């Protein structure tokens, strides 16, 4: 699996967009980029995933660069409840050995009032 | 309705004891997982079952034994508890083990071994 690099922490003002970067320079062609988050004392929560194209759902947007070596998770209007550790994970979409998620250290996003 | 539930939420016990953590999912998923999150907050997979069959078994001491009585349940039994077993244990489920992006996690069980 490709390794991901994320900043250990970021701050964002409430109501502003939060842009969380992730580097995955060794990503291969069949590997997807997934984002999860973990709010304090809770289990991880799936946010979004993508392969090449930008993706958007009710929670966030995922922007993947054309060379796919990096991506950005965007929370368009951050709220205090978005304070959490955000994990960027690169996984192949299928394959017998690819059942598991490998979590790194993630980025602690703190949304300030 | 809670999608993935775990019991107990907190578990405090002494070294050497045997304890179990239960997990249930009502999502109709075929695959369930156990993860361990240690004091440094690293989240690592331990086991995974698909249709009651073990498909992932990471390097976990034999003292840890998962049991899946049916697709909706995956319990974790731990023998001879050690101090290093203190952690938060998360159960998760997914519809298809080949598509890891849709894993649903439980609230966690905080195990403290004294």
């Amino acid at each position: 699996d490709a390794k991901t690099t994320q900043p250990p922490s970021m701050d964002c003002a409430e109501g502003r967009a939060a842009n969380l970067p992730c580097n995955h320079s060794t990503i291969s062609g069949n590997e997807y980029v997934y984002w999860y988050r973990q709010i304090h004392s809770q289990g991880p929560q799936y946010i979004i995933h993508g392969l090449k194209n930008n993706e958007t759902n009710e929670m966030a947007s995922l922007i993947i660069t054309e060379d796919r070596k990096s991506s950005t998770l965007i929370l368009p209007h951050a709220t205090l409840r978005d304070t959490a550790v955000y994990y960027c994970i690169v996984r192949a979409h299928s394959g017998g050995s690819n059942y598991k998620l490998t979590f790194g250290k993630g980025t602690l996003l703190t949304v300030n009032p | 309705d809670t999608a993935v539930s775990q019991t107990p939420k907190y578990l405090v016990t002494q070294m050497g004891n045997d304890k179990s953590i239960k997990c249930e999912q009502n999502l109709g998923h075929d695959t369930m997982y156990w993860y361990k999150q240690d004091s440094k907050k690293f989240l690592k997979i331990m086991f995974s079952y698909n249709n009651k069959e073990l498909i992932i078994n990471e390097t976990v001491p034999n003292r840890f034994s998962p049991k899946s009585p049916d697709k909706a349940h995956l319990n974790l039994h731990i023998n001879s508890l050690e101090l290093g077993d203190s952690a938060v244990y998360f159960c998760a489920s997914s519809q298809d083990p080949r598509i890891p992006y849709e894993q649903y996690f439980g609230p966690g069980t905080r195990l403290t071994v004294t």
Side-chain angles (χ1 to χ4, degrees):
Chain A
D1 299 327
K3 181 180 177 180
T4 62
T5 303
Q6 299 177 251
S9 63
M10 294 182 64
D11 286 313
C12 177
E14 187 178 19
R16 304 297 293 269
N19 298 293
L20 291 93
C22 179
N23 286 323
H24 31 78
S25 58
T26 61
I27 193 170
S28 61
N30 67 340
E31 289 183 315
Y32 282 66
V33 180
Y34 307 94
W35 284 83
Y36 275 73
R37 74 179 182 182
Q38 186 174 21
I39 296 171
H40 182 62
S41 297
Q42 296 183 22
Q45 177 188 23
Y46 165 76
I47 301 173
I48 200 168
H49 77 286
L51 181 63
K52 295 181 181 178
N53 300 322
N54 298 337
E55 302 288 344
T56 296
N57 63 18
E58 65 278 4
M59 291 182 67
S61 294
L62 175 60
I63 308 299
I64 303 174
T65 58
E66 192 169 344
D67 63 8
R68 301 210 322 123
K69 293 184 177 182
S70 65
S71 59
T72 300
L73 179 74
I74 300 174
L75 307 178
H77 305 286
T79 70
L80 299 180
R81 287 177 292 182
D82 291 322
T83 293
V85 177
Y86 287 77
Y87 298 99
C88 171
I89 303 168
V90 171
R91 294 298 308 175
H93 203 231
S94 64
S97 63
N98 295 319
Y99 298 116
K100 58 184 181 181
L101 292 173
T102 303
F103 289 83
K105 297 181 180 180
T107 296
L108 172 60
L109 174 68
T110 302
V111 181
N112 300 304
Chain B
D1 289 341
T2 302
V4 182
S5 59
Q6 297 179 225
T7 54
K9 187 170 176 61
Y10 300 96
L11 184 54
V12 181
T13 188
Q14 292 184 329
M15 287 176 55
N17 286 347
D18 303 338
K19 291 293 180 184
S20 292
I21 306 172
K22 296 184 177 181
C23 178
E24 177 181 3
Q25 54 95 5
N26 62 5
L27 298 167
H29 289 166
D30 289 338
T31 309
M32 297 184 72
Y33 311 79
W34 276 110
Y35 288 82
K36 177 182 179 181
Q37 189 166 39
D38 59 25
S39 58
K40 295 183 179 180
K41 303 298 184 183
F42 285 111
L43 192 63
K44 295 182 180 179
I45 191 167
M46 301 173 68
F47 302 102
S48 178
Y49 272 72
N50 185 48
N51 283 320
K52 300 192 298 176
E53 290 191 20
L54 183 67
I55 57 173
I56 294 176
N57 186 351
E58 293 295 286
T59 308
V60 178
N62 291 334
R63 300 181 294 104
F64 290 79
S65 54
K67 285 185 171 53
S68 181
D70 54 59
K71 286 198 312 182
H73 297 84
L74 181 62
N75 304 322
L76 184 64
H77 188 76
I78 315 171
N79 291 323
S80 304
L81 278 156
E82 300 178 355
L83 293 177
D85 298 332
S86 295
V88 181
Y89 292 85
F90 289 99
C91 177
S93 74
S94 67
Q95 186 171 6
D96 188 330
R98 298 167 300 175
I99 308 177
Y101 63 81
E102 272 187 318
Q103 285 192 22
Y104 294 82
F105 284 77
T109 295
R110 182 174 294 277
L111 172 65
T112 303
V113 183
T114 61

